[in-house]
Amino acid sequence: MKVFLSTDMEGTAGVVDWSQVRGPSQEYEYYRGQLQAEVNAAIDGALAAGATEFLVNDSHSTMQNLRPDELHGRASYLSGRHKPLYMMEGLDDSFDAAFFVSYHGSAGATSSVLHHTYNPRAIAEVRLNGAIAGEAGVNALVALAHGVPVVLISGDRVTIDEAQPFCPDIEAVVVKESVSHNAALSVHPDKARELIRKGAQRALARLTDFQLPSITQPAELTVRFHNRALAELACALRGVEQQDEKLVAMRNDDPLQLFRTFIAAVLLSRGVPE
């Protein structure tokens, strides 16, 4: 049984401020250790359920947050800034399941701690087939394209609620309840790891019950940017249409190509000054 893990960092228990997820600082060093422990807990749970092979895609910030020699299960480690498929790089149809560990709420989820969607400086909201989508929902497009079910997500409750329209039977692991953009009530780190480990084991134990992500094809992503320049730049991409001053739409009957177009728009947006 082969498992793909895409891991962010803002959804880690205890994380409530950008300083905790951006180095170099003592705060960052501490919380990268907490993230490592949560990733390892997911792997431990998967091992207990019979998983034999793991690929961990480090998907946060500079994408080099984990210590590869400390990954459990002799997991392979995919790291580094530029990946064509970003948070989903490395996934293919050889995998049996995908985990999203330490994920966070979307740009439109103002009640979720450190909420954003890919680029907080550029993107105000993303919708997938009309429903607000965070990174979990957008990334599920790649899982759908490769025929891999997304079976576990960890983070705050808002993150889980946003993912459920696209992954309705997900094994949800809530490690904190958001209070505001910069406040959350977290369980103890030991409890968070226990919840993640048990959740991963439960998810794989009922793997045959999971369906592929529930995303009607052809699919449409709409992206509302913070300003007109960003929207106009995105329209330089084939298949992207401007709907109003800040809103663009992209449609495709190939979920992988739709995701690629979205990622291209995200990467373009990083080149526009604030």
Side-chain angles (χ1 to χ4, degrees):
M1 192 189 303
K2 190 174 178 182
V3 179
F4 175 85
L5 291 88
S6 171
T7 177
D8 212 336
M9 190 170 180
E10 290 87 353
T12 304
V15 167
V16 294
D17 192 86
W18 292 117
S19 65
Q20 296 170 328
V21 297
R22 294 173 179 168
S25 69
Q26 288 185 341
E27 279 281 279
Y28 167 72
E29 290 300 322
Y30 171 79
Y31 281 101
R32 75 188 293 195
Q34 298 301 306
L35 170 63
Q36 180 102 36
E38 291 192 4
V39 170
N40 282 338
I43 295 174
D44 285 340
L47 283 167
T52 55
E53 189 175 348
F54 304 90
L55 172 60
V56 176
N57 180 346
D58 188 334
S59 304
H60 172 71
S61 187
T62 60
M63 307 187 194
Q64 48 187 356
N65 305 283
L66 303 174
R67 302 186 186 280
D69 62 327
E70 294 180 9
L71 285 171
H72 291 187
R74 300 177 67 87
S76 298
Y77 180 53
L78 179 56
S79 60
R81 276 181 184 271
H82 178 67
K83 303 168 187 166
L85 291 182
Y86 219 112
M87 301 179 80
M88 298 300 286
E89 184 68 36
L91 182 68
D92 59 33
D93 60 9
S94 70
F95 287 88
D96 298 288
F99 292 176
F100 293 165
V101 178
S102 192
Y103 269 43
H104 54 79
S106 75
T110 56
S111 60
S112 184
V113 68
L114 299 184
H115 62 92
H116 65 282
T117 307
Y118 272 92
N119 184 358
R121 295 182 177 89
I123 295 175
E125 183 185 84
V126 176
R127 288 180 179 265
L128 175 53
N129 288 344
I132 288 180
E135 291 170 7
V138 174
N139 293 347
L141 286 164
V142 183
L144 175 62
H146 289 298
V148 180
V150 180
V151 303
L152 176 137
I153 301 178
S154 73
D156 74 340
R157 191 171 302 278
V158 176
T159 301
I160 306 303
D161 290 345
E162 286 186 332
Q164 283 183 327
F166 314 108
C167 305
D169 50 359
I170 198 76
E171 187 69 39
V173 181
V174 177
V175 300
K176 59 186 174 186
E177 299 282 354
S178 291
V179 174
S180 69
H181 181 66
N182 287 108
L185 175 61
S186 297
V187 301
H188 189 278
D190 289 345
K191 180 66 172 178
R193 296 164 202 164
E194 179 185 356
L195 291 171
I196 292 170
R197 178 181 59 78
K198 290 182 177 179
Q201 186 172 357
R202 283 195 305 271
L204 294 188
R206 61 181 181 95
L207 182 58
T208 56
D209 296 334
F210 280 93
Q211 303 296 315
L212 295 181
S214 179
I215 302 171
T216 302
Q217 302 297 313
E220 178 185 72
L221 278 171
T222 57
V223 183
R224 183 168 297 281
F225 290 98
H226 288 308
N227 62 57
R228 178 178 177 177
L230 292 164
E232 290 176 343
L233 184 61
C235 289
L237 297 168
R238 181 180 298 174
V240 180
E241 299 177 355
Q242 193 163 359
Q243 295 194 327
D244 67 28
E245 186 178 60
K246 300 177 183 179
L247 183 71
V248 305
M250 49 193 81
R251 304 175 188 87
N252 207 299
D253 56 8
D254 179 348
L256 185 59
Q257 187 54 49
L258 180 59
F259 180 83
R260 288 183 182 276
T261 301
F262 172 77
I263 292 301
V266 170
L267 295 176
L268 282 174
S269 74
R270 297 190 187 280
V272 176
E274 292 181 65

